[in-house]
Amino acid sequence: MTSFTAAFERAAHRVRTLLVVERLSSLGALALALAVAFICIDLLLRLPAPLRAILLAVWAGSVAWTLWRRIRPAWRMGIAPVSIALRVEDRLPAMRGRIASALEFATSTRASGAGPSPFEQAAVAGVVTKVDERAVMRVIDARPCRRRVVRLAAMALAALAVAVVTPSMTAVGVQRLFMPWSGAEWPARTGLESRTEARHHPRGAALPLRAELTRGDAARERVWVRIRRMNQ
């Protein structure tokens, strides 16, 4: 009788564990997706530190809200073994009305410490011979949890691949999002090298300036020259 009730208790514990893992995986996917999206936005727009701090607050708020509204209830949820018994009855129509009753008889007998009555003993014995632990565990559907874990793993592997290919860019993006005032800067979109050969030039004569665009689209970029006069 103890093994009979223990099978349903283990099934209830497994349902709760699967639910917690499923929601934690969804939380991980949400956190990773938001972080990647915000880093990409920052890469495109080169946001200032205050705006990046707002994005960080949105990220942290989303994670905290999900923890409070989704993870916390799942963690505190108590799955009644009788609910598992009712699911088993749905799978075994011939046993409908008998499994849950037998489980309640066995549970109440164990809680009271008194021996079972002949009627209760017969009811439980008639069910135990036909319902084993495999039949109980078979009613638990782990596919939703498995799908979310696989999705999170795929997202994490994709993010890891990007980090391996572009480690410096990834480090800058993570620093700029999670430490907005760290001073980390994206690499410049354009690069310019001076090709002016003259180092000294007579006053009053035209000075030809030459430069080469080493990074960026030469057809679209416009080069500006700012002259700063230094008194000596």
Side-chain angles (χ1 to χ4, degrees):
M1 188 176 297
T2 303
S3 60
F4 175 69
T5 57
F8 287 94
E9 289 171 355
R10 284 192 292 269
H13 178 72
R14 187 183 179 192
V15 169
R16 175 177 171 271
T17 301
L18 287 173
L19 181 61
V20 171
V21 172
E22 177 185 342
R23 294 191 177 181
L24 283 174
S25 300
S26 297
L27 172 62
L30 172 67
L32 184 57
L34 283 178
V36 171
F38 290 162
I39 289 174
C40 291
I41 291 172
D42 180 42
L43 176 62
L44 292 174
L45 302 179
R46 310 296 171 106
L47 300 174
L51 289 182
R52 283 183 276 123
I54 293 175
L55 292 183
L56 177 59
V58 171
W59 183 89
S62 300
V63 171
W65 184 89
T66 305
L67 278 171
W68 183 259
R69 297 302 300 267
R70 301 283 294 171
I71 309 302
R72 178 175 168 271
W75 183 266
R76 301 179 63 182
M77 181 180 295
I79 306 296
V82 174
S83 64
I84 305 297
L86 293 174
R87 290 190 183 185
V88 177
E89 289 182 358
D90 291 338
R91 290 284 189 93
L92 302 173
M95 302 294 293
R96 186 162 295 169
R98 298 176 58 189
I99 301 175
S101 299
L103 180 61
E104 288 181 340
F105 288 150
T107 303
S108 61
T109 300
R110 188 179 63 177
S112 64
S117 66
F119 173 75
E120 293 174 346
Q121 195 169 8
V124 174
V127 173
V128 169
T129 56
K130 297 180 180 179
V131 178
D132 57 4
E133 186 166 352
R134 285 180 298 177
V136 175
M137 292 298 180
R138 205 173 293 133
V139 302
I140 301 174
D141 187 5
R143 289 175 297 178
C145 178
R146 194 177 300 119
R147 283 195 296 267
R148 283 166 175 76
V149 170
V150 170
R151 182 182 64 181
L152 175 60
M155 293 175 64
L157 286 175
L160 180 61
V162 173
V164 170
V165 173
T166 59
S168 59
M169 294 283 285
T170 303
V172 170
V174 171
Q175 280 186 320
R176 284 175 62 86
L177 177 61
F178 293 101
M179 294 181 287
W181 283 278
S182 63
E185 295 290 342
W186 292 111
R189 291 193 178 101
T190 57
L192 195 66
E193 289 187 6
S194 175
R195 291 291 183 259
T196 302
E197 298 178 357
R199 293 294 180 266
H200 303 281
H201 193 76
R203 180 182 297 178
L207 174 62
L209 299 177
R210 295 183 179 87
E212 179 182 358
L213 190 67
T214 59
R215 182 185 301 168
D217 188 358
R220 294 190 304 172
E221 297 291 345
R222 300 182 63 183
V223 179
W224 300 84
V225 176
R226 185 175 64 179
I227 300 176
R228 184 175 60 179
R229 184 171 182 176
M230 301 179 64
N231 297 324
Q232 296 181 352

